[in-house]
Amino acid sequence: MTPDRIIDFASNFAILILVVAMLLTVWRAVVGPTLPDRVVALDMLVGIVIGFIAVIALKTGYTLYIDIAISLGLVGFLATVAFARFILARGRVGEDQPGRAESAASGQILKREASKPVSKQKSAGKTGKPAGKTAGKTAGKEA
């Protein structure tokens, strides 16, 4: 076997593997249950495209493709950082993830407490009497 034939076989095999990886990654980006899953899939797509560019550069011998791959890597990194900051700014990663039941339950309790009328929340003081009657008795003693 000649070296050119080995490189040709290896590059064709690499393209086949990259096509399979791209299909699986696109499926994860479309189906992914949460936003972080989709962000990781998009970052993986950037890596796969860089792999395609590297294989094409190897097959053609044109080294300018390597510079394009490096530039794409930098842009992909910046996009991933921007998506991560967006996810952190939203304040929640994904309530539909398994294992998040306790945080969802605590969020429902907080919503229930917030929906109670204000008069019931402030009504009981240390003595158990409504706040308005206690304030009136202390005001009468001072006068």
Side-chain angles (χ1 to χ4, degrees), residues 53 57 81 105 123:
I53 292 172
V81 169
S123 65

Side-chain angles (χ1 to χ4, degrees), residues 68-137:
I68 294 169
I70 291 171
S71 301
L72 181 62
L74 292 172
V75 170
F77 171 73
L78 292 176
T80 303
V81 169
F83 275 129
R85 288 185 57 102
F86 172 73
I87 291 170
L88 286 175
R90 273 183 42 178
R92 59 185 159 98
V93 174
E95 294 177 1
D96 53 306
Q97 284 183 345
R100 296 270 183 188
E102 58 273 352
S103 65
S106 64
Q108 289 175 354
I109 291 171
L110 290 175
K111 287 178 186 174
R112 235 182 285 136
E113 289 295 323
S115 66
K116 287 183 180 178
V118 177
S119 61
K120 288 185 180 180
Q121 287 179 352
K122 294 183 180 180
S123 65
K126 290 182 182 179
T127 60
K129 296 179 183 176
K133 293 181 181 177
T134 308
K137 287 183 181 178

